[in-house]
C-alpha cells in the first residue's frame, strides 16, 4: 500500500472506495494493522478506558497521548497516523496549538482529532493555518459524557440533526480534512457524508459514511463488559488477530460492515 495522505483519502472518497480505520496504542498491534492494509490509525483517547481501565476518556493526559503516539509511530509504515487531543488540552486556540504541536513533534502524529462543532471553528482555523491537519468529531462526544448525560445516540430530533449538518459544513470550511461521526442515525450520517467533500468516518453511524472506525480492543472482544451495539467481534470466526483485522478491512471495503444490526435509526 502506498503512503496514505489526506489527498489520497479525498480521492478514495471521490471514487466511492471505503476507508478502513482502527485505533491502535502500541507498536505490535500497529504492525498487524499495517499488514492488513488499514488506511488510517487512530491513537484514540479511548486508551484511557481500554488500556488504563478508567471509567471515561476524561483523565487521559497529553503526556500519555504523546507516549502512545510515539509507540505507534515507530511501527507505522504507510497508514495515516491521527492522535486525539485529550480533554481540556484544547480549550483555547492557543492551548490547542501548543498541544497539537507537541503531539506532532514529540509524538510524530500526522493529524490531530478534536471533539466539537461551532465552538471549535476558530481552533480548527488556527491549527490548519499553522500546517496542522485536523480531524473533527461530531455526534456522541465522549469527552462531553457528563454534559450529555451518558453515551447516547445524537441527532435524533430535527433540531440537533440540523445543528450537526451545519457544524459539519462549517468545520470543513474552517479547514478540517476529515470528520468522525459517532453514534448518529444512519440516515443523518449518510446525508452529512454526501454534503461535505472531506472523508467522513463513522462509528455507529451506518454504512453510508466514507469509512468506518472501531476501537481495536472492542472489535477483538478484549474490552471487558458489554460492548456497544455498533461493535462486531471480528475475532469470533477467525484464528488470529491478523486474520480478524483483515476480515474487518474486507468487511468495511465490501460494505458488509456495518450491517443493519450495528446501526441506529
Ligand atoms: O478515542 C477513540 O478511540 C475515538 C474513536 C471511538 C473514534 O475517538
Amino acid at each position: 500500500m502506498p503512503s496514505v495522505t489526506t489527498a489520497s483519502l479525498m480521492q478514495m472518497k471521490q471514487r466511492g472506495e471505503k476507508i478502513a480505520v482502527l485505533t491502535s496504542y502500541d507498536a505490535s498491534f500497529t504492525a498487524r494493522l499495517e499488514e492488513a492494509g488499514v488506511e488510517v490509525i487512530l491513537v484514540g483517547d479511548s486508551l484511557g478506558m481500554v488500556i488504563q481501565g478508567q471509567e471515561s476518556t476524561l483523565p487521559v493526559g497529553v503526556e500519555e497521548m504523546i507516549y502512545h503516539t510515539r509507540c505507534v509511530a515507530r511501527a507505522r509504515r504507510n497508514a495515516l497516523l491521527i492522535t486525539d487531543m485529550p480533554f481540556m488540552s484544547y480549550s483555547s486556540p492557543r492551548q490547542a496549538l501548543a498541544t497539537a504541536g507537541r503531539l506532532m513533534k514529540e509524538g510524530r502524529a500526522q493529524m490531530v482529532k478534536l471533539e466539537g462543532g461551532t465552538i471549535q471553528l476558530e481552533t480548527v482555523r488556527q491549527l490548519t493555518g499553522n500546517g496542522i491537519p485536523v480531524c473533527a468529531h461530531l455526534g456522541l462526544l465522549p469527552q462531553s459524557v457528563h454534559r450529555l448525560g451518558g453515551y447516547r445516540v445524537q441527532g435524533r430530533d430535527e433540531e440537533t440533526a440540523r445543528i450537526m449538518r451545519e457544524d459539519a459544513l462549517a468545520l470543513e470550511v474552517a479547514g478540517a480534512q476529515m470528520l468522525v461521526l459517532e453514534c448518529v442515525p444512519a440516515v443523518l450520517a449518510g446525508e452529512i457524508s454526501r454534503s461535505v467533500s472531506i472523508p467522513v468516518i463513522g462509528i455507529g453511524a451506518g454504512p453510508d459514511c466514507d469509512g468506518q472506525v472501531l476501537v481495536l480492543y472492542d472489535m477483538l472482544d478484549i474490552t471487558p463488559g458489554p460492548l456497544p451495539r455498533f461493535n462486531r467481534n471480528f475475532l469470533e470466526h477467525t484464528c488470529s488477530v491478523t486474520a480478524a483485522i483483515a476480515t474487518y478491512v474486507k468487511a468495511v471495503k465490501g460494505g458488509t460492515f456495518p450491517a443493519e444490526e450495528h446501526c441506529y435509526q
Side-chain angles (χ1 to χ4, degrees):
M1 178 173 75
S3 279
V4 177
T5 62
T6 51
S8 68
L9 292 171
M10 288 278 264
Q11 286 160 6
M12 285 180 74
K13 174 173 175 125
Q14 284 155 10
R15 289 195 299 265
E17 208 179 308
K18 298 284 184 189
I19 300 164
V21 185
L22 277 175
T23 67
S24 185
Y25 318 102
D26 68 20
S28 300
F29 274 122
T30 298
R32 300 283 89 82
L33 265 57
E34 285 280 356
E35 272 166 36
V38 167
E39 277 108 3
V40 178
I41 298 174
L42 170 66
V43 184
D45 59 358
S46 51
L47 70 84
M49 297 168 88
V50 299
I51 303 276
Q52 300 176 339
Q54 315 267 15
E55 276 186 4
S56 73
T57 59
L58 273 60
V60 177
V62 175
E63 297 299 333
E64 291 157 347
M65 292 307 297
I66 291 173
Y67 170 78
H68 285 282
T69 305
R70 217 170 27 218
C71 293
V72 170
R74 286 192 195 105
R76 185 201 70 81
R77 294 290 170 265
N78 299 308
L80 186 80
L81 174 50
I82 307 181
T83 294
D84 263 334
M85 304 259 272
F87 179 61
M88 293 307 286
S89 73
Y90 56 101
S91 38
S92 69
R94 176 191 279 262
Q95 189 196 19
L97 267 177
T99 302
R102 290 196 65 199
L103 290 168
M104 293 188 75
K105 288 171 81 156
E106 297 171 48
R108 291 168 44 206
Q110 296 171 307
M111 181 182 254
V112 296
K113 179 163 82 60
L114 49 77
E115 298 183 9
T118 314
I119 190 147
Q120 300 300 353
L121 293 177
E122 185 49 34
T123 293
V124 174
R125 277 191 284 270
Q126 288 287 332
L127 291 173
T128 55
N130 281 277
I132 299 173
V134 174
C135 173
H137 184 151
L138 293 174
L140 170 58
L141 308 179
Q143 293 175 8
S144 301
V145 62
H146 297 306
R147 181 178 61 77
L148 298 171
Y151 296 98
R152 302 209 174 96
V153 181
Q154 303 294 310
R156 271 191 162 143
D157 61 86
E158 198 32 63
E159 180 60 4
T160 53
R162 180 187 63 75
I163 292 171
M164 209 184 299
R165 282 190 207 99
E166 289 177 6
D167 280 354
L169 290 168
L171 285 160
E172 176 176 15
V173 171
Q177 286 173 293
M178 196 181 299
L179 171 65
V180 166
L181 287 182
E182 180 164 356
C183 287
V184 173
V187 171
L188 175 61
E191 277 172 29
I192 292 175
S193 303
R194 288 185 290 276
S195 74
V196 294
S197 59
I198 56 175
V200 175
I201 310 299
I203 173 162
D208 294 333
C209 297
D210 306 304
Q212 300 293 328
V213 58
L214 284 177
V215 171
L216 180 66
Y217 284 30
D218 291 355
M219 57 82 81
L220 295 177
D221 204 28
I222 295 171
T223 312
L227 289 172
R229 171 201 172 114
F230 58 74
N231 188 62
R232 182 175 134 193
N233 176 358
F234 281 90
L235 194 60
E236 198 173 9
H237 301 296
T238 53
C239 54
S240 70
V241 166
T242 308
I245 297 168
T247 305
Y248 168 77
V249 172
K250 199 169 163 209
V252 169
K253 300 217 166 272
T256 57
F257 178 79
E260 181 111 30
E261 70 261 30
H262 307 115
C263 300
Y264 301 104
Q265 305 287 314

